[in-house]
Amino acid sequence: MNDLQPDHPRYVSLKLRNAVAAGVEQGITSVHGLVAHGRGEAFDYLIGERTRIFARRAARAAAAMLRLAQYPVISVNGNAAALVPEGLARLGELLGAPLEVNLFHPSRARERAIRSHLEKSGAARVLLSTRRAELDFIASNRRFVHPQGILKADVIFVPLEDGDRCEALRRMGKKVIVVDLNPLSRTARKASVTLVDNVARAVPLLLEEVGRLEEKPRAALQRIVDGYSNREQLRAALRCIRGGRKS
Ligand code: PTJ
């Protein structure tokens, strides 16, 4: 790793880049994850590398949806595991939800490395994919899931990924909350709630919101969910990227 100093003008961005590169070296992140991260960096640059109002609104709706869920599950890939392992472990703890490792680029060794990394970061229950349960409407490796995890879940939190599985999960009648810096991606457009933000900022924000909504009655949580429009927030994100409006 390079010798990165906190006074470097691009310190935070470079720190995250280092975390993903370290993930590859540790066998957690796929080499393709570096490319995906670079794409994310470009979008992050365009939104000013800070959490905008559309992400805050989405985080609130996401937190309410997770609080209302009967069986929430947190899906983890190689990039999310490298960037926010403690945050995901804490979210699982707050929600009483299992984490499930679900990869696009198949590798049993990487799945095991991610599980051990998440456990070291505090996760109580980490599931791996199985050949006993498959999702409908999807052909990629992501179709293999755990029967007590994504297959059973009614609400799934998915920090960044490709779009196929999001679409499949929605077609199976599940609610999907995603983090994706690209508001034009299929994942962003197909999700129930999309936080257009860096996963490194979005997960702490979501943790805060989930904590804040702990005591809220179900009817109030439902009103938050009902009042949210993902399409509107994606439009707001696009306006922000085009520089047409302060968001
Ligand atoms: O670990 P695996 O095998 O499951 O593979 C994971 C990757 C990410 C490689 C795989 O899912 C993939 O190829 O994803 P895509 O199709 O490149 O999509 C990644 C999306 O995440 C893009 O829309 C990026 O803009 C977005 N993204 C990248 N980094 C971040 C991000 N969004 C939020 N925060 C980030 N740090």
Side-chain angles (χ1 to χ4, degrees):
M1 277 310 117
N2 53 38
D3 179 23
L4 184 59
Q5 299 301 318
D7 59 352
H8 190 288
R10 301 213 41 77
Y11 176 72
V12 176
S13 177
L14 292 174
K15 209 168 83 156
L16 295 181
R17 192 183 280 193
N18 276 354
V20 178
V24 175
E25 281 169 8
Q26 290 161 26
I28 289 169
T29 309
S30 150
V31 71
H32 306 272
L34 295 171
V35 182
H37 186 77
R39 181 150 46 147
E41 278 183 348
F43 280 101
D44 207 7
Y45 196 80
L46 292 172
I47 64 164
E49 296 175 320
R50 63 188 171 91
T51 299
R52 299 284 183 162
I53 185 71
F54 41 82
R56 290 190 190 284
R57 290 195 191 113
R60 190 163 168 78
M65 199 174 263
L66 286 165
R67 281 284 182 210
L68 283 168
Q70 301 291 324
Y71 197 81
V73 171
I74 299 163
S75 177
V76 187
N77 68 10
N79 287 51
L83 288 169
V84 281
E86 285 96 2
L88 295 176
R90 176 76 185 127
L91 192 61
E93 187 186 336
L94 277 180
L95 296 168
L99 275 59
E100 179 167 340
V101 182
N102 184 272
L103 302 182
F104 181 69
H105 302 284
S107 159
R108 206 61 183 165
R110 199 153 61 85
E111 283 184 9
R112 292 201 187 101
I114 293 173
R115 177 173 61 189
S116 121
H117 185 60
L118 291 170
E119 284 171 350
K120 277 186 212 140
S121 304
R125 190 168 171 225
V126 184
L127 306 173
L128 300 189
S129 66
T130 70
R131 297 279 151 165
R132 284 175 283 127
E134 278 186 44
L135 299 177
D136 302 327
F137 312 119
I138 178 169
S140 80
N141 183 65
R142 285 200 192 277
R143 74 181 185 277
F144 297 113
V145 289
H146 194 289
Q148 292 307 310
I150 290 166
L151 189 76
K152 190 176 159 189
D154 57 338
V155 179
I156 300 144
F157 175 57
V158 181
L160 73 111
E161 69 159 37
D162 63 303
D164 285 12
R165 192 181 52 145
C166 179
E167 195 167 354
L169 292 170
R170 296 288 285 138
R171 284 178 72 186
M172 288 178 76
K174 297 175 189 294
K175 292 186 177 117
V176 184
I177 298 163
V178 302
V179 181
D180 194 331
L181 277 159
N182 177 4
L184 292 167
S185 77
R186 207 146 37 97
T187 307
R189 287 185 287 118
K190 294 289 174 188
S192 318
V193 176
T194 304
L195 283 82
V196 180
D197 202 3
N198 197 310
V199 77
R201 297 188 299 269
V203 168
L205 175 65
L206 189 56
L207 278 170
E208 237 175 72
E209 289 293 342
V210 165
R212 200 170 287 154
L213 296 183
E214 191 181 3
E215 304 292 328
K216 278 252 187 242
R218 290 185 73 79
L221 294 173
Q222 193 61 57
R223 277 197 297 278
I224 295 173
V225 172
D226 293 344
Y228 176 81
S229 159
N230 206 44
R231 192 183 283 242
E232 263 175 39
Q233 299 318 315
L234 290 180
R235 276 204 213 111
L238 280 172
R239 279 198 300 270
C240 173
I241 286 172
R242 289 188 187 119
R245 189 181 288 200
K246 284 207 162 48
S247 302

